Amino acid sequence: MHKVSDSLSVKASPRIKPGVRWQTLMFDMEIALLPVVLFAAYRFGFGAVKVIVASVLACVVTEWIYDICLKKEMGITDGTAVVTGLLLGLTLPSDIHLYVPVVGGIFATLVVVLLYGGYGQHFMLPALASRCFLLISFADQMTTYTVDGISYATPLAVLQEGGAPSLMDMFLGNINGSIVEVSTIAVLLGFAYLIVRRAVKVIPPIVYLISFVLYMGMFGGHGFDMGYIGAQVLGGGFIFSAAFFASDLVINPRTAAGEVIYGVLLGVMTGVYRTMGFAPESVSYAIICCNLLIPLIDKFLPAKKKEAA
């Protein structure tokens, strides 16, 4: 712990440290994301594959160069940079210019992770932090979705304009959006694998889903209309974010009570962005904002010494 003043101290996040267990977790994440990647390749073709590969390579090469420049032990072998690249690439449109995932991969790896001490010490989810950065920097490209050269509105955009997207099409993936928005079945398969492998936190995503549904039912303007709420849940990358981001073992409160509070905050914040924000696909903003509240949650709900070890 580094003392900054008499009243303020800064310490690295008490998260999982890289090692054998970490490598296993990353390998499990890669397996869990494989159905999503395969479905993306099937749905969007080679364009999606190029975006994902560009993102992964940017993350891996950035960490490799960083380790060489600082004469550190190579960290790319644990697979974390690959997972970060996969997660980032999957949140992008399939037809986006390839320099965008490259810039995003560099930002996620260098700025969000390595400059804060490396994986296990970062304070927010690298892929989502990078996606927020890209949304600000390349707004047009990040919010324009095309298939076979034709631009289409996402289901949430249709919903926002008073339309009624098909829930079955959304669930099966017959819609337009970012690469991962059309992979609900694949996402659930991957999440189920991670649960079996005990590689994720289960409480936050469940509470996230429940609190989001309750918020949209009470404040969404349509009551508890299942068509409306179902479209909100299946659209905007919500399922993917709940399964692979809200459940993250590193960026999560230390206690079960803290996880419940975190899940409620995620649901409320996402609901606020959906009902009051200008961009319907803004789950990433909500999660990043809640990431910043985790130290505060841990402060008021500290883990017992045995739990924190």
Side-chain angles (χ1 to χ4, degrees), residues 36 40 44 89-92 177-184 187 237 240 244:
V36 186
F44 292 113
L90 287 166
T91 65
L92 304 178
S178 61
I179 296 174
V180 78
E181 277 189 68
V182 296
S183 309
T184 300
V187 169
F240 182 78
F244 287 97

Side-chain angles (χ1 to χ4, degrees), residues 18-85:
V20 176
R21 171 61 174 158
W22 182 274
Q23 292 177 340
T24 302
L25 288 173
M26 293 303 100
F27 183 68
D28 285 335
M29 283 292 292
E30 290 167 3
I31 293 177
L33 288 169
L34 183 59
V36 186
V37 173
L38 292 176
F39 188 91
Y42 166 76
R43 175 69 175 84
F44 292 113
F46 191 56
V49 176
K50 289 191 295 184
V51 170
I52 295 171
V53 170
S55 178
V56 171
L57 287 177
C59 292
V60 172
V61 173
T62 299
E63 184 174 2
W64 177 67
I65 294 175
Y66 180 87
D67 290 341
I68 289 178
C69 291
L70 271 65
K71 299 180 180 179
K72 298 180 62 176
E73 181 181 351
M74 285 293 169
I76 57 175
T77 56
D78 62 19
T80 315
V82 174
V83 171
T84 300

Side-chain angles (χ1 to χ4, degrees), residues 203 207 253-264 297-298 301 307:
I203 294 176
V207 176
R254 300 190 215 170
T255 64
E259 291 174 10
V260 171
I261 293 175
Y262 179 57
V264 171
I297 295 173
D298 285 340
L301 293 171
E307 290 180 66

Side-chain angles (χ1 to χ4, degrees), residues 258-292:
E259 291 174 10
V260 171
I261 293 175
Y262 179 57
V264 171
L265 289 172
L266 288 172
V268 171
M269 189 69 75
T270 302
V272 168
Y273 272 111
R274 288 281 178 90
T275 56
M276 302 180 185
F278 65 91
E281 294 92 352
S282 51
V283 175
S284 51
Y285 287 124
I287 296 179
I288 288 301
C289 288
C290 291
N291 285 172
L292 301 177

Side-chain angles (χ1 to χ4, degrees), residues 4-267:
V4 178
S5 68
D6 292 335
S7 60
L8 179 65
S9 61
V10 179
K11 58 183 178 180
S13 304
R15 313 301 181 189
I16 300 171
K17 302 298 182 183
V20 176
R21 171 61 174 158
W22 182 274
Q23 292 177 340
T24 302
L25 288 173
M26 293 303 100
F27 183 68
D28 285 335
M29 283 292 292
E30 290 167 3
I31 293 177
L33 288 169
L34 183 59
V36 186
V37 173
L38 292 176
F39 188 91
Y42 166 76
R43 175 69 175 84
F44 292 113
F46 191 56
V49 176
K50 289 191 295 184
V51 170
I52 295 171
V53 170
S55 178
V56 171
L57 287 177
C59 292
V60 172
V61 173
T62 299
E63 184 174 2
W64 177 67
I65 294 175
Y66 180 87
D67 290 341
I68 289 178
C69 291
L70 271 65
K71 299 180 180 179
K72 298 180 62 176
E73 181 181 351
M74 285 293 169
I76 57 175
T77 56
D78 62 19
T80 315
V82 174
V83 171
T84 300
L86 287 172
L87 290 171
L88 172 61
L90 287 166
T91 65
L92 304 178
S94 63
D95 62 330
I96 201 165
H97 291 301
L98 293 183
Y99 65 81
V100 177
V102 170
V103 171
I106 294 172
F107 182 88
T109 306
L110 180 62
V111 178
V112 184
V113 177
L114 296 178
L115 294 183
Y116 282 91
Y119 292 101
Q121 305 298 318
H122 53 290
F123 65 97
M124 66 173 63
L125 293 159
L128 281 189
S130 181
R131 185 173 194 273
C132 291
F133 168 74
L134 295 177
L135 279 167
I136 296 171
S137 304
F138 308 101
D140 289 340
Q141 292 194 52
M142 289 290 291
T143 55
T144 301
Y145 305 98
T146 62
V147 177
D148 296 328
I150 303 175
S151 179
Y152 295 93
T154 65
L156 287 187
V158 172
L159 193 67
Q160 199 173 45
E161 295 171 1
S166 168
L167 296 185
M168 184 57 68
D169 284 343
M170 294 180 75
F171 185 76
L172 295 178
N174 298 321
I175 60 172
N176 198 32
S178 61
I179 296 174
V180 78
E181 277 189 68
V182 296
S183 309
T184 300
I185 297 176
V187 169
L188 294 177
L189 285 174
F191 185 54
Y193 171 81
L194 292 177
I195 292 175
V196 172
R197 294 287 298 167
R198 298 182 180 181
V200 289
K201 298 270 190 177
V202 178
I203 294 176
I206 293 176
V207 176
Y208 183 14
L209 173 62
I210 294 173
S211 59
F212 176 67
V213 168
L214 291 176
Y215 181 94
M216 296 306 297
M218 292 186 288
F219 305 107
H222 296 264
F224 286 90
D225 177 78
M226 297 312 296
Y228 173 79
I229 293 178
Q232 290 286 352
V233 170
L234 293 175
F238 179 86
I239 296 295
F240 182 78
S241 297
F244 287 97
F245 292 126
S247 64
D248 189 82
L249 289 177
V250 177
I251 309 297
N252 242 300
R254 300 190 215 170
T255 64
E259 291 174 10
V260 171
I261 293 175
Y262 179 57
V264 171
L265 289 172
L266 288 172

